[in-house]
Amino acid sequence: MHANVLISKWQLTVFSCAALLAALLAPGCGSVSGPGDDDLVPGRIMFQTYRDGNGEIYSMESDGSDPVNLTNNPADDGEAGATRDGRRIAFSSYRDGNTEIYVMNANGSGQTRLTNHSARDEEPQWSPDGKRIVFESFRSGDRQVWSMKADGSNLRQLTTSSNGNAEPFYSPDGQKIVFYSTRSGEAQIYIMDADGTNVEQLTTGAGPNSAPTVSIDGTRIAFTTERHSPGSGSEVYTINIDGSDETRITTTSTWNWEPSWPGR
């Protein structure tokens, strides 16, 4: 989990959500769950925090009350995402001396390691039906997008470009995966079929462009770009699923990043 991701995914809290919600976006500070186990009921928010001195995963009520520590490990745990029904959580952890993908029940029980490789496995995301997990891995020598069944079996490498391919995210019907890649030199947003075929480049503007996420109706993609202030600030844009109608959503001279759509 590289440094520029640690800040955005492990230190953001729910307090910054209101501004982007007005534009139908919320930053990647946590996910509102669907119906699930008792400790992840509708309205609870899952988030990552350093409040214990290292990265841990918590859930809390939507008003910030009743924080529950779901992981309790001296190594960093983060990049958590819940299944659509809220019953299972996938996350990455450094607890075994290398970043690997784990899953657990919504109340933190049943923590199980799914990947076991000397290279980093990170950024897990569930398929809408909860049957597969897509993630990024360095196991083939550079950063590539992989998928596996929810029990860690049936590993598949989905991208083969020699340049970085990262931050995969399923479309709501599970038929497509959006991700970013540096295969064209600058980091751009791409889309492909869920089996890795039919790869298409969606963005062409200056970047880097990253952190793509698809709206719940499957028509729009939100992403982060540094095209206005490379290295010193970023903005959130949206674009149609076919790459048309690129629209800037945030306009502040600071870091706006890791967007997510309500319901995703």
Side-chain angles (χ1 to χ4, degrees):
M1 282 162 279
H2 35 292
N4 62 334
V5 173
L6 291 178
I7 296 174
S8 62
K9 292 216 169 182
W10 291 11
Q11 291 180 309
L12 281 181
T13 66
V14 70
F15 306 122
S16 61
C17 290
L20 286 186
L21 277 173
L24 296 181
L25 290 169
C29 54
S31 301
V32 178
S33 73
D37 294 340
D38 291 342
D39 289 321
L40 195 59
V41 296
R44 283 188 75 83
I45 293 172
M46 183 177 60
F47 65 105
Q48 288 82 238
T49 178
Y50 270 102
R51 65 181 62 187
D52 300 313
N54 63 288
E56 299 285 3
I57 300 167
Y58 275 67
S59 72
M60 63 183 173
E61 295 293 338
S62 58
D63 63 0
S65 64
D66 188 30
V68 176
N69 186 356
L70 302 181
T71 60
N72 187 5
N73 193 281
D76 284 333
D77 300 312
E79 298 176 342
T83 53
R84 183 170 287 183
D85 65 7
R87 294 183 178 275
R88 298 282 281 166
I89 296 169
F91 64 101
S92 60
S93 177
Y94 200 78
R95 64 185 64 184
D96 293 312
N98 183 52
T99 309
E100 302 285 0
I101 306 299
Y102 286 72
V103 292
M104 62 181 169
N105 295 324
N107 61 7
S109 65
Q111 296 183 23
T112 304
R113 179 176 176 171
L114 295 187
T115 61
N116 187 0
H117 198 277
S118 57
R120 300 201 321 255
D121 298 318
E122 53 197 19
E123 299 279 355
Q125 290 284 342
W126 293 94
S127 62
D129 61 9
K131 293 181 178 180
R132 294 194 70 84
I133 295 171
V134 69
F135 63 101
E136 62 181 66
S137 176
F138 288 80
R139 61 179 62 208
S140 59
D142 54 6
R143 185 180 298 169
Q144 301 288 349
V145 175
W146 290 67
S147 74
M148 61 184 168
K149 286 186 176 180
D151 62 1
S153 65
N154 192 224
L155 277 162
R156 299 176 184 172
Q157 183 175 342
L158 302 182
T159 59
T160 57
S161 169
S162 60
N163 297 92
N165 302 273
E167 298 184 340
F169 194 93
Y170 277 103
S171 62
D173 62 5
Q175 300 300 305
K176 299 284 186 178
I177 293 172
V178 294
F179 63 104
Y180 85 78
S181 176
T182 57
R183 64 185 66 192
S184 64
E186 182 73 272
Q188 301 289 353
I189 307 302
Y190 286 75
I191 191 168
M192 63 183 172
D193 290 347
D195 63 0
T197 60
N198 298 318
V199 179
E200 298 179 38
Q201 183 175 338
L202 298 182
T203 59
T204 57
N209 305 287
S210 60
T213 176
V214 188
S215 62
I216 197 166
D217 63 3
T219 63
R220 298 283 287 175
I221 296 170
F223 64 96
T224 302
T225 183
E226 294 181 38
R227 65 186 61 175
H228 302 286
S229 306
S232 61
S234 60
E235 301 293 349
V236 175
Y237 274 64
T238 63
I239 195 170
N240 283 337
I241 197 77
D242 63 1
S244 63
D245 191 27
E246 190 172 278
T247 304
R248 183 176 178 176
I249 298 297
T250 60
T251 56
T252 58
S253 300
T254 183
W255 292 94
N256 304 279
W257 72 104
E258 302 284 353
S260 67
W261 297 91
R264 298 302 317 271

Coordinates of all heavy atoms in Angstrom, one line a residue, residues 173-233:
D173 N -23.4 -4.3 -12.6 CA -23.9 -5.6 -13.1 C -22.8 -6.7 -13.1 O -23.1 -7.8 -13.5 CB -24.5 -5.4 -14.5 CG -23.5 -4.9 -15.5 OD1 -22.3 -4.8 -15.2 OD2 -23.9 -4.7 -16.7
G174 N -21.6 -6.3 -12.7 CA -20.5 -7.3 -12.6 C -19.9 -7.7 -14.0 O -19.0 -8.5 -14.0
Q175 N -20.4 -7.0 -15.1 CA -19.9 -7.4 -16.4 C -18.6 -6.6 -16.8 O -17.9 -7.1 -17.7 CB -21.0 -7.1 -17.4 CG -22.3 -7.9 -17.2 CD -22.0 -9.4 -17.2 OE1 -21.5 -9.9 -18.2 NE2 -22.4 -10.1 -16.1
K176 N -18.3 -5.5 -16.2 CA -17.2 -4.7 -16.5 C -16.3 -4.4 -15.3 O -16.8 -4.4 -14.2 CB -17.6 -3.4 -17.2 CG -18.4 -3.5 -18.4 CD -17.5 -3.8 -19.6 CE -18.3 -3.8 -20.9 NZ -17.4 -4.1 -22.1
I177 N -15.1 -4.0 -15.5 CA -14.2 -3.6 -14.5 C -13.5 -2.3 -15.0 O -13.0 -2.3 -16.1 CB -13.1 -4.6 -14.2 CG1 -13.8 -5.9 -13.5 CG2 -12.1 -4.1 -13.2 CD1 -12.8 -7.1 -13.3
V178 N -13.5 -1.3 -14.2 CA -12.8 -0.1 -14.5 C -11.5 -0.1 -13.7 O -11.5 -0.6 -12.6 CB -13.6 1.2 -14.2 CG1 -14.8 1.3 -15.2 CG2 -14.1 1.3 -12.8
F179 N -10.5 0.6 -14.2 CA -9.2 0.6 -13.5 C -8.4 1.7 -14.1 O -8.8 2.3 -15.1 CB -8.5 -0.8 -13.6 CG -8.1 -1.2 -15.0 CD1 -6.8 -1.1 -15.5 CD2 -9.1 -1.7 -15.9 CE1 -6.5 -1.4 -16.8 CE2 -8.7 -2.1 -17.2 CZ -7.4 -1.9 -17.6
Y180 N -7.2 2.0 -13.5 CA -6.3 2.9 -14.2 C -5.0 2.2 -14.6 O -4.7 1.2 -14.0 CB -6.0 4.2 -13.3 CG -4.9 4.0 -12.3 CD1 -3.5 4.1 -12.7 CD2 -5.1 3.9 -11.0 CE1 -2.5 4.0 -11.8 CE2 -4.1 3.8 -10.0 CZ -2.8 3.8 -10.5 OH -1.8 3.7 -9.6
S181 N -4.4 2.7 -15.7 CA -3.2 2.1 -16.2 C -2.3 3.2 -16.7 O -2.7 4.2 -17.2 CB -3.6 1.1 -17.3 OG -2.4 0.5 -17.9
T182 N -1.0 2.9 -16.6 CA 0.0 3.8 -17.2 C 0.6 3.3 -18.5 O 1.6 3.6 -19.0 CB 1.2 4.0 -16.2 OG1 1.7 2.8 -15.9 CG2 0.7 4.7 -15.0
R183 N -0.2 2.4 -19.1 CA 0.3 1.7 -20.4 C 0.5 2.7 -21.5 O 1.3 2.4 -22.4 CB -0.6 0.6 -20.8 CG -2.0 1.1 -21.2 CD -3.0 -0.1 -21.5 NE -3.2 -0.9 -20.3 CZ -3.8 -2.1 -20.4 NH1 -4.2 -2.6 -21.5 NH2 -4.0 -2.8 -19.2
S184 N -0.2 3.8 -21.5 CA 0.0 4.8 -22.5 C 1.0 5.9 -22.1 O 1.2 6.9 -22.8 CB -1.3 5.5 -22.9 OG -1.9 6.2 -21.8
G185 N 1.6 5.8 -21.0 CA 2.6 6.7 -20.5 C 2.1 7.5 -19.3 O 2.6 7.4 -18.2
E186 N 1.0 8.2 -19.4 CA 0.3 8.9 -18.3 C -0.8 8.0 -17.8 O -1.4 7.2 -18.5 CB -0.4 10.2 -18.9 CG -1.1 11.0 -17.8 CD -0.1 11.7 -16.9 OE1 0.3 11.1 -15.9 OE2 0.2 12.9 -17.2
A187 N -1.0 8.0 -16.5 CA -2.1 7.2 -15.9 C -3.5 7.7 -16.4 O -3.8 8.8 -16.3 CB -2.1 7.4 -14.3
Q188 N -4.2 6.7 -17.0 CA -5.5 7.0 -17.6 C -6.5 6.0 -17.1 O -6.1 4.9 -16.6 CB -5.4 6.9 -19.1 CG -4.5 7.9 -19.8 CD -4.9 9.4 -19.7 OE1 -6.0 9.7 -19.3 NE2 -4.1 10.3 -20.1
I189 N -7.8 6.3 -17.2 CA -8.9 5.4 -16.8 C -9.2 4.5 -18.0 O -9.4 4.9 -19.1 CB -10.1 6.2 -16.4 CG1 -9.7 7.2 -15.3 CG2 -11.2 5.2 -15.9 CD1 -9.1 6.6 -14.1
Y190 N -9.3 3.2 -17.7 CA -9.7 2.1 -18.7 C -10.9 1.3 -18.2 O -11.2 1.4 -17.0 CB -8.5 1.2 -18.9 CG -7.3 1.8 -19.6 CD1 -6.5 2.7 -19.1 CD2 -7.1 1.4 -21.0 CE1 -5.4 3.2 -19.8 CE2 -6.0 1.9 -21.7 CZ -5.2 2.8 -21.1 OH -4.1 3.4 -21.8
I191 N -11.5 0.6 -19.1 CA -12.6 -0.3 -18.8 C -12.3 -1.6 -19.6 O -11.8 -1.6 -20.7 CB -13.9 0.3 -19.1 CG1 -15.1 -0.5 -18.5 CG2 -14.1 0.6 -20.6 CD1 -16.4 0.2 -18.6
M192 N -12.7 -2.7 -19.0 CA -12.6 -4.0 -19.7 C -13.7 -4.9 -19.2 O -14.4 -4.7 -18.2 CB -11.2 -4.6 -19.4 CG -11.0 -5.0 -17.9 SD -9.4 -5.7 -17.6 CE -9.3 -5.7 -15.8
D193 N -13.9 -6.0 -20.0 CA -14.9 -7.0 -19.6 C -14.3 -7.7 -18.3 O -13.1 -7.6 -18.0 CB -15.1 -8.1 -20.6 CG -15.8 -7.5 -21.8 OD1 -16.4 -6.4 -21.7 OD2 -15.8 -8.2 -22.9
A194 N -15.2 -8.3 -17.5 CA -14.8 -8.8 -16.2 C -13.8 -10.0 -16.4 O -13.1 -10.3 -15.4 CB -16.0 -9.3 -15.5
D195 N -13.6 -10.5 -17.6 CA -12.6 -11.6 -17.8 C -11.3 -11.0 -18.3 O -10.4 -11.8 -18.7 CB -13.2 -12.7 -18.7 CG -13.5 -12.1 -20.1 OD1 -13.3 -10.9 -20.4 OD2 -13.9 -12.9 -21.0
G196 N -11.2 -9.7 -18.4 CA -10.0 -9.1 -18.9 C -9.9 -8.8 -20.4 O -8.9 -8.2 -20.8
T197 N -10.9 -9.1 -21.1 CA -10.9 -8.9 -22.6 C -11.5 -7.5 -22.9 O -12.1 -6.8 -22.0 CB -11.7 -10.0 -23.3 OG1 -13.1 -10.0 -22.8 CG2 -11.1 -11.3 -23.0
N198 N -11.4 -7.1 -24.1 CA -12.0 -5.9 -24.6 C -11.7 -4.6 -23.8 O -12.5 -3.9 -23.3 CB -13.6 -6.0 -24.7 CG -14.0 -7.1 -25.6 OD1 -13.4 -7.3 -26.7 ND2 -15.0 -7.9 -25.2
V199 N -10.4 -4.4 -23.7 CA -9.9 -3.2 -22.9 C -10.1 -2.0 -23.7 O -9.7 -1.9 -24.9 CB -8.4 -3.4 -22.5 CG1 -7.9 -2.2 -21.7 CG2 -8.2 -4.7 -21.7
E200 N -10.6 -0.9 -23.1 CA -10.8 0.4 -23.8 C -10.3 1.5 -22.9 O -10.5 1.5 -21.7 CB -12.3 0.6 -24.1 CG -12.9 -0.4 -25.0 CD -14.4 -0.1 -25.3 OE1 -14.7 1.1 -25.4 OE2 -15.2 -1.0 -25.3
Q201 N -9.6 2.5 -23.5 CA -9.2 3.6 -22.8 C -10.3 4.7 -22.8 O -10.8 5.0 -23.8 CB -7.9 4.2 -23.4 CG -7.3 5.4 -22.7 CD -6.0 5.9 -23.3 OE1 -5.3 5.1 -23.9 NE2 -5.7 7.2 -23.0
L202 N -10.6 5.2 -21.6 CA -11.7 6.1 -21.5 C -11.3 7.6 -21.4 O -12.0 8.5 -21.9 CB -12.6 5.8 -20.3 CG -13.3 4.4 -20.3 CD1 -14.1 4.3 -19.0 CD2 -14.1 4.2 -21.5
T203 N -10.2 7.9 -20.7 CA -9.7 9.2 -20.6 C -8.4 9.4 -21.4 O -7.7 8.5 -21.7 CB -9.4 9.6 -19.1 OG1 -8.4 8.7 -18.6 CG2 -10.6 9.5 -18.2
T204 N -8.2 10.7 -21.9 CA -7.1 11.0 -22.7 C -6.4 12.3 -22.2 O -5.3 12.6 -22.7 CB -7.4 11.2 -24.2 OG1 -8.4 12.2 -24.3 CG2 -8.0 9.9 -24.7
G205 N -7.0 13.0 -21.3 CA -6.4 14.2 -20.8 C -5.2 14.0 -19.9 O -4.9 12.9 -19.5
A206 N -4.6 15.1 -19.6 CA -3.4 15.1 -18.7 C -3.8 14.5 -17.3 O -5.0 14.4 -17.0 CB -2.9 16.5 -18.4
G207 N -2.9 14.0 -16.6 CA -3.2 13.3 -15.3 C -2.1 13.6 -14.3 O -1.5 14.7 -14.3
P208 N -1.8 12.6 -13.5 CA -2.4 11.2 -13.5 C -3.9 11.2 -13.2 O -4.4 12.0 -12.4 CB -1.6 10.5 -12.5 CG -1.1 11.5 -11.5 CD -0.8 12.7 -12.4
N209 N -4.6 10.2 -13.7 CA -6.0 10.0 -13.5 C -6.1 8.6 -12.8 O -5.5 7.6 -13.2 CB -6.8 9.9 -14.8 CG -6.6 11.2 -15.6 OD1 -7.1 12.3 -15.3 ND2 -5.8 11.1 -16.7
S210 N -6.9 8.5 -11.7 CA -6.9 7.3 -10.9 C -8.2 7.2 -10.2 O -9.1 8.0 -10.3 CB -5.7 7.3 -9.9 OG -5.8 8.4 -9.0
A211 N -8.3 6.1 -9.3 CA -9.4 5.8 -8.4 C -10.8 5.9 -9.1 O -11.7 6.5 -8.6 CB -9.4 6.8 -7.3
P212 N -11.0 5.1 -10.2 CA -12.3 5.1 -10.8 C -13.3 4.3 -10.0 O -13.0 3.3 -9.4 CB -12.0 4.4 -12.2 CG -10.9 3.5 -11.9 CD -10.0 4.2 -10.9
T213 N -14.5 4.8 -10.1 CA -15.6 4.1 -9.4 C -16.9 4.3 -10.2 O -17.1 5.4 -10.8 CB -15.8 4.5 -8.0 OG1 -17.0 3.9 -7.4 CG2 -16.0 6.0 -7.9
V214 N -17.8 3.3 -10.4 CA -18.9 3.4 -11.2 C -20.2 3.7 -10.4 O -20.4 3.1 -9.3 CB -19.1 2.0 -12.0 CG1 -20.2 2.2 -13.1 CG2 -17.8 1.6 -12.7
S215 N -21.1 4.5 -11.0 CA -22.3 4.8 -10.3 C -23.2 3.6 -10.2 O -23.1 2.6 -10.9 CB -23.0 6.0 -11.1 OG -23.4 5.5 -12.4
I216 N -24.2 3.7 -9.3 CA -25.0 2.5 -9.1 C -25.9 2.2 -10.3 O -26.3 1.0 -10.4 CB -25.9 2.7 -7.8 CG1 -26.5 1.4 -7.3 CG2 -27.0 3.8 -8.1 CD1 -27.0 1.5 -5.9
D217 N -26.2 3.1 -11.1 CA -27.0 2.8 -12.3 C -26.1 2.4 -13.5 O -26.5 2.1 -14.6 CB -27.9 4.0 -12.7 CG -27.1 5.2 -13.1 OD1 -25.8 5.2 -13.1 OD2 -27.8 6.2 -13.4
G218 N -24.7 2.4 -13.3 CA -23.8 1.9 -14.3 C -23.5 2.9 -15.5 O -22.9 2.5 -16.4
T219 N -24.0 4.1 -15.4 CA -23.9 5.0 -16.5 C -22.7 6.0 -16.4 O -22.2 6.5 -17.4 CB -25.1 5.9 -16.7 OG1 -25.3 6.7 -15.5 CG2 -26.4 5.0 -16.8
R220 N -22.2 6.3 -15.2 CA -21.1 7.3 -15.0 C -20.0 6.7 -14.2 O -20.2 5.8 -13.3 CB -21.7 8.5 -14.3 CG -22.7 9.3 -15.0 CD -22.2 10.1 -16.1 NE -21.5 11.3 -15.7 CZ -20.9 12.2 -16.5 NH1 -20.8 11.9 -17.8 NH2 -20.2 13.2 -16.0
I221 N -18.8 7.2 -14.4 CA -17.6 6.9 -13.7 C -17.1 8.1 -13.0 O -17.0 9.2 -13.7 CB -16.5 6.3 -14.6 CG1 -17.0 5.0 -15.2 CG2 -15.2 6.0 -13.8 CD1 -16.1 4.4 -16.3
A222 N -16.8 8.1 -11.7 CA -16.1 9.2 -11.0 C -14.6 8.8 -10.9 O -14.3 7.6 -10.7 CB -16.7 9.4 -9.7
F223 N -13.7 9.7 -11.0 CA -12.3 9.5 -10.8 C -11.6 10.7 -10.3 O -12.1 11.8 -10.3 CB -11.7 9.0 -12.1 CG -11.7 10.0 -13.3 CD1 -10.6 10.7 -13.5 CD2 -12.8 10.1 -14.1 CE1 -10.6 11.7 -14.6 CE2 -12.9 11.1 -15.1 CZ -11.7 11.8 -15.4
T224 N -10.3 10.5 -9.9 CA -9.5 11.5 -9.4 C -8.5 11.9 -10.5 O -8.0 11.1 -11.2 CB -8.7 11.1 -8.2 OG1 -9.6 10.6 -7.2 CG2 -7.8 12.2 -7.6
T225 N -8.2 13.2 -10.6 CA -7.1 13.6 -11.6 C -6.3 14.7 -10.9 O -6.8 15.5 -10.1 CB -7.7 14.1 -12.9 OG1 -6.6 14.5 -13.8 CG2 -8.6 15.3 -12.7
E226 N -5.0 14.7 -11.3 CA -4.1 15.8 -10.8 C -3.7 16.7 -12.0 O -2.7 17.5 -11.9 CB -2.8 15.2 -10.3 CG -3.0 14.4 -9.0 CD -1.7 13.8 -8.4 OE1 -0.7 14.5 -8.5 OE2 -1.7 12.7 -8.0
R227 N -4.5 16.8 -13.0 CA -4.2 17.5 -14.2 C -4.1 19.0 -14.0 O -3.4 19.7 -14.7 CB -5.2 17.3 -15.3 CG -6.6 17.7 -15.0 CD -7.6 17.3 -16.1 NE -7.7 15.9 -16.2 CZ -8.6 15.2 -17.0 NH1 -9.4 15.9 -17.8 NH2 -8.6 13.9 -17.0
H228 N -4.8 19.5 -13.0 CA -4.7 21.0 -12.7 C -3.6 21.4 -11.8 O -3.0 22.5 -11.9 CB -6.0 21.4 -12.1 CG -7.2 21.1 -12.9 ND1 -7.6 21.8 -14.0 CD2 -8.2 20.1 -12.8 CE1 -8.6 21.3 -14.6 NE2 -9.0 20.3 -13.8
S229 N -3.1 20.5 -10.9 CA -2.0 20.8 -10.0 C -1.2 19.6 -9.8 O -1.2 19.0 -8.7 CB -2.6 21.3 -8.7 OG -3.5 22.4 -8.8
P230 N -0.4 19.1 -10.8 CA 0.3 17.9 -10.6 C 1.2 17.9 -9.4 O 2.0 18.8 -9.2 CB 1.1 17.8 -11.9 CG 0.4 18.7 -12.9 CD -0.2 19.8 -12.1
G231 N 1.0 16.9 -8.6 CA 1.9 16.7 -7.4 C 1.5 17.6 -6.2 O 2.0 17.4 -5.1
S232 N 0.5 18.5 -6.4 CA 0.2 19.4 -5.3 C -1.3 19.6 -5.1 O -1.7 20.3 -4.2 CB 0.8 20.8 -5.5 OG 0.3 21.4 -6.7
G233 N -2.1 18.8 -5.8 CA -3.6 18.9 -5.6 C -4.3 18.0 -6.6 O -3.7 17.6 -7.7

